[in-house]
Amino acid sequence: MALMRSWVESANFSTSDFPLNNLALGVFSVGEDEPRCGVAIGDKIVDVAALEEAGLMDLAGAPLFDVPFWNELMEAGPEVWAAFRARMTELLVEGAPEKAEVAPHLVAQAEAEMHLPFLVSEYTDFYAGRNHAVNVGTMFRGAANALPPNWLHLPIGYNGRASSVVVSGTEVRRPLGQLKPPQAERPYFGPCKRFDFELEMGAIVGQASDGPVSVGEADAMIFGYVLLNDWSARDIQAWEYQPLGPFQAKATATTISPWIVMAAALQPFRAVGPEREVELLPYLQEPGPMLYDIALEVALTPKGGAESVISRTNYREMYYSSAQQLAHHTSSGCPMNVGDLLGSGTISGPVRESRGSLLELSWGGKEPLELASGGVRNFLEDGDTLTLRGAARGAGYRIGFGECAGKVVAAMALPDWAK
Ligand code: CA
């Protein structure tokens, strides 16, 4: 697959996250205007709501983009998703006859504020990266028992909170919680001391289901992907998680990138899953390559300091794909809705430099991570900005996600009733 050239010049630069091949979807606003649906093209955004109002985009005989979220396009189904991409390509391709009509509806990304791109119905997070599970398991249970007995048979997950999913750029307040240091006799209530990030991809369910679906059907239900940071309070989690799994440790915030990359844009980058150590049950077996070759990196920028890249890995490292996770999620008959968000689980590669959380990078605080820009970290400090980036790389172009960034701010003062 080669670069598709657009009349928007900046979309043709090999360094752009948003060539015509991508057509990533966001919700933006300029100044005091209401948020609107837009498509990223180079360093611009095409105001899709305006295209629809101008009669340049009519896919369903009824408006799809007069709302500040992409759920209505998702609802319309895969045929309309494909028609939408075909029409956007027609309007933005080099030599498009409609150029003069479309050009007035371009906005500079630098001038726009980004909002959550879709209404998050529910949020489920998985634990489906093998390197991450082995690292964490080794720290807590020893190498011999690193993977729980179910791990190679099913993608472990828990039901998270849609209410705290936020868009890139939103500040994240250090959580308060109940903590019990290992040597302490009793727990206390206070600010988390081991606040961490988790590098993940989020899959967005674009079609509803009622009853179990196959992995192939699940794959076709996935509308697109975002970068996802599952902020994690390790000390709150360590005390609360048995026997039902994480609760408040994961409920503070989940940050997603502002751009949805549609699954269609990622098709040239399909990648096969790993060798299976034990055969999966038929309902979890994949009909074809279900992962994607997406290079990922994590950068940490201390307050007033310079950025250090602290991890580089790839979405290919997952053991279970989002399609397998979605199929498993439906297996009990659990209905899935348009706008459901599935976190992949932390994506760690095989070496230290590719680990997807500070818990792993600092090995639970035992091996402090040296930042290239100076200083060390075991866990996040107030004022740290954590930025995820990702892109699938084609010949002379990339399919990028933009940035998924969040700055950690100090915990709220302990209220009197909590002292
Ligand atoms: Ca997670």
Side-chain angles (χ1 to χ4, degrees), residues 123 125-127 132 158 198-200 228-232 234 250 343-346:
Y123 166 50
D125 193 32
F126 287 87
Y127 184 61
H132 173 69
Y158 66 93
E198 287 187 340
L199 165 64
E200 303 193 21
L228 185 150
N229 179 357
D230 177 29
W231 301 94
S232 299
R234 302 298 179 195
K250 304 282 194 170
S344 61
T346 306

PDB file of all heavy atoms in Angstrom, residues 123 125-127 132 158 198-200 228-232 234 250 343-346, ligand 1:
ATOM      1  N   TYR A 123     -16.861   0.518  29.671  1.00  0.00           N
ATOM      2  CA  TYR A 123     -15.417   0.351  29.487  1.00  0.00           C
ATOM      3  C   TYR A 123     -14.983  -0.933  30.184  1.00  0.00           C
ATOM      4  O   TYR A 123     -15.264  -1.134  31.367  1.00  0.00           O
ATOM      5  CB  TYR A 123     -14.685   1.573  30.060  1.00  0.00           C
ATOM      6  CG  TYR A 123     -13.203   1.379  30.242  1.00  0.00           C
ATOM      7  CD1 TYR A 123     -12.400   0.879  29.208  1.00  0.00           C
ATOM      8  CD2 TYR A 123     -12.589   1.697  31.448  1.00  0.00           C
ATOM      9  CE1 TYR A 123     -11.036   0.700  29.377  1.00  0.00           C
ATOM     10  CE2 TYR A 123     -11.223   1.535  31.624  1.00  0.00           C
ATOM     11  CZ  TYR A 123     -10.456   1.034  30.591  1.00  0.00           C
ATOM     12  OH  TYR A 123      -9.107   0.857  30.772  1.00  0.00           O
ATOM     13  N   ASP A 125     -11.576  -3.502  30.706  1.00  0.00           N
ATOM     14  CA  ASP A 125     -10.126  -3.534  30.533  1.00  0.00           C
ATOM     15  C   ASP A 125      -9.627  -4.967  30.673  1.00  0.00           C
ATOM     16  O   ASP A 125     -10.098  -5.709  31.537  1.00  0.00           O
ATOM     17  CB  ASP A 125      -9.456  -2.629  31.573  1.00  0.00           C
ATOM     18  CG  ASP A 125      -7.994  -2.387  31.229  1.00  0.00           C
ATOM     19  OD1 ASP A 125      -7.650  -2.355  30.036  1.00  0.00           O
ATOM     20  OD2 ASP A 125      -7.198  -2.234  32.165  1.00  0.00           O
ATOM     21  N   PHE A 126      -8.697  -5.327  29.796  1.00  0.00           N
ATOM     22  CA  PHE A 126      -8.169  -6.693  29.794  1.00  0.00           C
ATOM     23  C   PHE A 126      -6.736  -6.735  30.320  1.00  0.00           C
ATOM     24  O   PHE A 126      -6.122  -5.697  30.601  1.00  0.00           O
ATOM     25  CB  PHE A 126      -8.276  -7.277  28.380  1.00  0.00           C
ATOM     26  CG  PHE A 126      -9.699  -7.616  28.004  1.00  0.00           C
ATOM     27  CD1 PHE A 126     -10.525  -6.653  27.431  1.00  0.00           C
ATOM     28  CD2 PHE A 126     -10.227  -8.867  28.271  1.00  0.00           C
ATOM     29  CE1 PHE A 126     -11.851  -6.946  27.115  1.00  0.00           C
ATOM     30  CE2 PHE A 126     -11.545  -9.169  27.955  1.00  0.00           C
ATOM     31  CZ  PHE A 126     -12.355  -8.203  27.376  1.00  0.00           C
ATOM     32  N   TYR A 127      -6.243  -7.940  30.428  1.00  0.00           N
ATOM     33  CA  TYR A 127      -4.921  -8.217  30.994  1.00  0.00           C
ATOM     34  C   TYR A 127      -4.322  -9.255  30.051  1.00  0.00           C
ATOM     35  O   TYR A 127      -4.114 -10.389  30.400  1.00  0.00           O
ATOM     36  CB  TYR A 127      -5.156  -8.772  32.404  1.00  0.00           C
ATOM     37  CG  TYR A 127      -3.956  -9.064  33.267  1.00  0.00           C
ATOM     38  CD1 TYR A 127      -3.060  -8.064  33.630  1.00  0.00           C
ATOM     39  CD2 TYR A 127      -3.731 -10.352  33.766  1.00  0.00           C
ATOM     40  CE1 TYR A 127      -1.987  -8.343  34.456  1.00  0.00           C
ATOM     41  CE2 TYR A 127      -2.661 -10.637  34.591  1.00  0.00           C
ATOM     42  CZ  TYR A 127      -1.784  -9.624  34.936  1.00  0.00           C
ATOM     43  OH  TYR A 127      -0.724  -9.895  35.765  1.00  0.00           O
ATOM     44  N   HIS A 132       3.643  -8.443  29.989  1.00  0.00           N
ATOM     45  CA  HIS A 132       3.173  -7.689  31.157  1.00  0.00           C
ATOM     46  C   HIS A 132       2.713  -8.645  32.254  1.00  0.00           C
ATOM     47  O   HIS A 132       3.081  -8.488  33.425  1.00  0.00           O
ATOM     48  CB  HIS A 132       2.038  -6.754  30.748  1.00  0.00           C
ATOM     49  CG  HIS A 132       1.366  -6.051  31.886  1.00  0.00           C
ATOM     50  ND1 HIS A 132       1.986  -5.070  32.627  1.00  0.00           N
ATOM     51  CD2 HIS A 132       0.126  -6.199  32.432  1.00  0.00           C
ATOM     52  CE1 HIS A 132       1.153  -4.628  33.571  1.00  0.00           C
ATOM     53  NE2 HIS A 132       0.022  -5.307  33.473  1.00  0.00           N
ATOM     54  N   TYR A 158     -11.773  -7.100  33.465  1.00  0.00           N
ATOM     55  CA  TYR A 158     -12.660  -6.630  34.533  1.00  0.00           C
ATOM     56  C   TYR A 158     -13.478  -5.482  33.960  1.00  0.00           C
ATOM     57  O   TYR A 158     -13.064  -4.826  32.998  1.00  0.00           O
ATOM     58  CB  TYR A 158     -11.879  -6.179  35.773  1.00  0.00           C
ATOM     59  CG  TYR A 158     -11.013  -4.958  35.537  1.00  0.00           C
ATOM     60  CD1 TYR A 158     -11.490  -3.674  35.801  1.00  0.00           C
ATOM     61  CD2 TYR A 158      -9.724  -5.093  35.022  1.00  0.00           C
ATOM     62  CE1 TYR A 158     -10.702  -2.556  35.560  1.00  0.00           C
ATOM     63  CE2 TYR A 158      -8.938  -3.980  34.774  1.00  0.00           C
ATOM     64  CZ  TYR A 158      -9.434  -2.716  35.049  1.00  0.00           C
ATOM     65  OH  TYR A 158      -8.659  -1.610  34.791  1.00  0.00           O
ATOM     66  N   GLU A 198      -0.448   2.833  32.200  1.00  0.00           N
ATOM     67  CA  GLU A 198      -0.378   1.578  31.454  1.00  0.00           C
ATOM     68  C   GLU A 198      -0.586   1.907  29.986  1.00  0.00           C
ATOM     69  O   GLU A 198      -1.584   2.533  29.615  1.00  0.00           O
ATOM     70  CB  GLU A 198      -1.434   0.575  31.937  1.00  0.00           C
ATOM     71  CG  GLU A 198      -1.080  -0.018  33.292  1.00  0.00           C
ATOM     72  CD  GLU A 198      -2.001  -1.142  33.734  1.00  0.00           C
ATOM     73  OE1 GLU A 198      -3.144  -1.252  33.217  1.00  0.00           O
ATOM     74  OE2 GLU A 198      -1.585  -1.925  34.616  1.00  0.00           O
ATOM     75  N   LEU A 199       0.366   1.498  29.159  1.00  0.00           N
ATOM     76  CA  LEU A 199       0.289   1.701  27.713  1.00  0.00           C
ATOM     77  C   LEU A 199      -0.631   0.637  27.119  1.00  0.00           C
ATOM     78  O   LEU A 199      -0.336  -0.553  27.199  1.00  0.00           O
ATOM     79  CB  LEU A 199       1.691   1.581  27.112  1.00  0.00           C
ATOM     80  CG  LEU A 199       1.775   1.420  25.594  1.00  0.00           C
ATOM     81  CD1 LEU A 199       1.241   2.649  24.875  1.00  0.00           C
ATOM     82  CD2 LEU A 199       3.220   1.149  25.163  1.00  0.00           C
ATOM     83  N   GLU A 200      -1.745   1.097  26.541  1.00  0.00           N
ATOM     84  CA  GLU A 200      -2.703   0.158  25.951  1.00  0.00           C
ATOM     85  C   GLU A 200      -3.258   0.732  24.656  1.00  0.00           C
ATOM     86  O   GLU A 200      -3.136   1.922  24.373  1.00  0.00           O
ATOM     87  CB  GLU A 200      -3.882  -0.093  26.914  1.00  0.00           C
ATOM     88  CG  GLU A 200      -3.464  -0.608  28.285  1.00  0.00           C
ATOM     89  CD  GLU A 200      -4.629  -1.157  29.109  1.00  0.00           C
ATOM     90  OE1 GLU A 200      -5.688  -1.511  28.523  1.00  0.00           O
ATOM     91  OE2 GLU A 200      -4.481  -1.225  30.340  1.00  0.00           O
ATOM     92  N   LEU A 228      -4.615   4.333  24.567  1.00  0.00           N
ATOM     93  CA  LEU A 228      -5.309   4.363  25.859  1.00  0.00           C
ATOM     94  C   LEU A 228      -4.293   4.251  26.997  1.00  0.00           C
ATOM     95  O   LEU A 228      -3.412   3.390  26.968  1.00  0.00           O
ATOM     96  CB  LEU A 228      -6.307   3.204  25.890  1.00  0.00           C
ATOM     97  CG  LEU A 228      -7.251   3.055  27.072  1.00  0.00           C
ATOM     98  CD1 LEU A 228      -8.569   2.406  26.628  1.00  0.00           C
ATOM     99  CD2 LEU A 228      -6.641   2.244  28.204  1.00  0.00           C
ATOM    100  N   ASN A 229      -4.391   5.163  27.950  1.00  0.00           N
ATOM    101  CA  ASN A 229      -3.574   5.095  29.160  1.00  0.00           C
ATOM    102  C   ASN A 229      -4.477   4.755  30.333  1.00  0.00           C
ATOM    103  O   ASN A 229      -5.320   5.555  30.730  1.00  0.00           O
ATOM    104  CB  ASN A 229      -2.860   6.439  29.396  1.00  0.00           C
ATOM    105  CG  ASN A 229      -2.019   6.432  30.662  1.00  0.00           C
ATOM    106  OD1 ASN A 229      -2.002   5.451  31.412  1.00  0.00           O
ATOM    107  ND2 ASN A 229      -1.316   7.523  30.913  1.00  0.00           N
ATOM    108  N   ASP A 230      -4.297   3.565  30.872  1.00  0.00           N
ATOM    109  CA  ASP A 230      -5.080   3.099  32.014  1.00  0.00           C
ATOM    110  C   ASP A 230      -4.310   3.460  33.293  1.00  0.00           C
ATOM    111  O   ASP A 230      -3.548   2.662  33.825  1.00  0.00           O
ATOM    112  CB  ASP A 230      -5.267   1.577  31.887  1.00  0.00           C
ATOM    113  CG  ASP A 230      -6.010   0.984  33.060  1.00  0.00           C
ATOM    114  OD1 ASP A 230      -6.831   1.698  33.662  1.00  0.00           O
ATOM    115  OD2 ASP A 230      -5.767  -0.194  33.372  1.00  0.00           O
ATOM    116  N   TRP A 231      -4.538   4.713  33.760  1.00  0.00           N
ATOM    117  CA  TRP A 231      -3.858   5.189  34.977  1.00  0.00           C
ATOM    118  C   TRP A 231      -4.133   4.220  36.129  1.00  0.00           C
ATOM    119  O   TRP A 231      -5.279   3.804  36.327  1.00  0.00           O
ATOM    120  CB  TRP A 231      -4.356   6.583  35.354  1.00  0.00           C
ATOM    121  CG  TRP A 231      -4.157   7.626  34.301  1.00  0.00           C
ATOM    122  CD1 TRP A 231      -5.070   7.992  33.354  1.00  0.00           C
ATOM    123  CD2 TRP A 231      -2.989   8.429  34.077  1.00  0.00           C
ATOM    124  NE1 TRP A 231      -4.533   8.997  32.556  1.00  0.00           N
ATOM    125  CE2 TRP A 231      -3.265   9.282  32.983  1.00  0.00           C
ATOM    126  CE3 TRP A 231      -1.741   8.524  34.704  1.00  0.00           C
ATOM    127  CZ2 TRP A 231      -2.340  10.209  32.496  1.00  0.00           C
ATOM    128  CZ3 TRP A 231      -0.830   9.456  34.226  1.00  0.00           C
ATOM    129  CH2 TRP A 231      -1.122  10.281  33.131  1.00  0.00           C
ATOM    130  N   SER A 232      -3.099   3.888  36.884  1.00  0.00           N
ATOM    131  CA  SER A 232      -3.223   2.816  37.878  1.00  0.00           C
ATOM    132  C   SER A 232      -2.540   3.190  39.189  1.00  0.00           C
ATOM    133  O   SER A 232      -1.380   3.580  39.192  1.00  0.00           O
ATOM    134  CB  SER A 232      -2.562   1.542  37.338  1.00  0.00           C
ATOM    135  OG  SER A 232      -3.206   1.110  36.151  1.00  0.00           O
ATOM    136  N   ARG A 234      -0.996   1.672  42.050  1.00  0.00           N
ATOM    137  CA  ARG A 234      -0.491   0.334  42.403  1.00  0.00           C
ATOM    138  C   ARG A 234      -0.672  -0.005  43.876  1.00  0.00           C
ATOM    139  O   ARG A 234      -0.930  -1.164  44.226  1.00  0.00           O
ATOM    140  CB  ARG A 234       1.002   0.233  42.056  1.00  0.00           C
ATOM    141  CG  ARG A 234       1.337   0.495  40.597  1.00  0.00           C
ATOM    142  CD  ARG A 234       0.692  -0.510  39.686  1.00  0.00           C
ATOM    143  NE  ARG A 234       1.002  -0.231  38.289  1.00  0.00           N
ATOM    144  CZ  ARG A 234       0.351  -0.760  37.265  1.00  0.00           C
ATOM    145  NH1 ARG A 234      -0.659  -1.581  37.471  1.00  0.00           N
ATOM    146  NH2 ARG A 234       0.685  -0.467  36.039  1.00  0.00           N
ATOM    147  N   LYS A 250      -8.196   1.701  39.572  1.00  0.00           N
ATOM    148  CA  LYS A 250      -8.294   1.925  38.137  1.00  0.00           C
ATOM    149  C   LYS A 250      -9.402   2.894  37.784  1.00  0.00           C
ATOM    150  O   LYS A 250      -9.715   3.071  36.610  1.00  0.00           O
ATOM    151  CB  LYS A 250      -8.583   0.592  37.432  1.00  0.00           C
ATOM    152  CG  LYS A 250      -7.561  -0.494  37.720  1.00  0.00           C
ATOM    153  CD  LYS A 250      -6.309  -0.293  36.903  1.00  0.00           C
ATOM    154  CE  LYS A 250      -5.431  -1.536  36.931  1.00  0.00           C
ATOM    155  NZ  LYS A 250      -4.340  -1.422  35.959  1.00  0.00           N
ATOM    156  N   GLY A 343     -10.138  -1.992  26.616  1.00  0.00           N
ATOM    157  CA  GLY A 343      -8.703  -1.765  26.783  1.00  0.00           C
ATOM    158  C   GLY A 343      -7.970  -3.076  26.541  1.00  0.00           C
ATOM    159  O   GLY A 343      -8.371  -4.126  27.044  1.00  0.00           O
ATOM    160  N   SER A 344      -6.886  -3.004  25.768  1.00  0.00           N
ATOM    161  CA  SER A 344      -6.180  -4.226  25.358  1.00  0.00           C
ATOM    162  C   SER A 344      -5.504  -4.938  26.523  1.00  0.00           C
ATOM    163  O   SER A 344      -5.300  -6.148  26.494  1.00  0.00           O
ATOM    164  CB  SER A 344      -5.094  -3.880  24.332  1.00  0.00           C
ATOM    165  OG  SER A 344      -4.144  -2.986  24.893  1.00  0.00           O
ATOM    166  N   GLY A 345      -5.156  -4.162  27.570  1.00  0.00           N
ATOM    167  CA  GLY A 345      -4.199  -4.653  28.554  1.00  0.00           C
ATOM    168  C   GLY A 345      -2.848  -4.043  28.214  1.00  0.00           C
ATOM    169  O   GLY A 345      -2.611  -3.630  27.070  1.00  0.00           O
ATOM    170  N   THR A 346      -1.992  -3.970  29.224  1.00  0.00           N
ATOM    171  CA  THR A 346      -0.698  -3.311  29.054  1.00  0.00           C
ATOM    172  C   THR A 346       0.151  -4.034  28.013  1.00  0.00           C
ATOM    173  O   THR A 346       0.268  -5.253  28.032  1.00  0.00           O
ATOM    174  CB  THR A 346       0.040  -3.267  30.401  1.00  0.00           C
ATOM    175  OG1 THR A 346      -0.828  -2.663  31.355  1.00  0.00           O
ATOM    176  CG2 THR A 346       1.325  -2.463  30.315  1.00  0.00           C
TER     177      THR A 346
HETATM  178 CA    CA B   1      -4.936  -2.068  32.291  1.00  0.00          CA
END
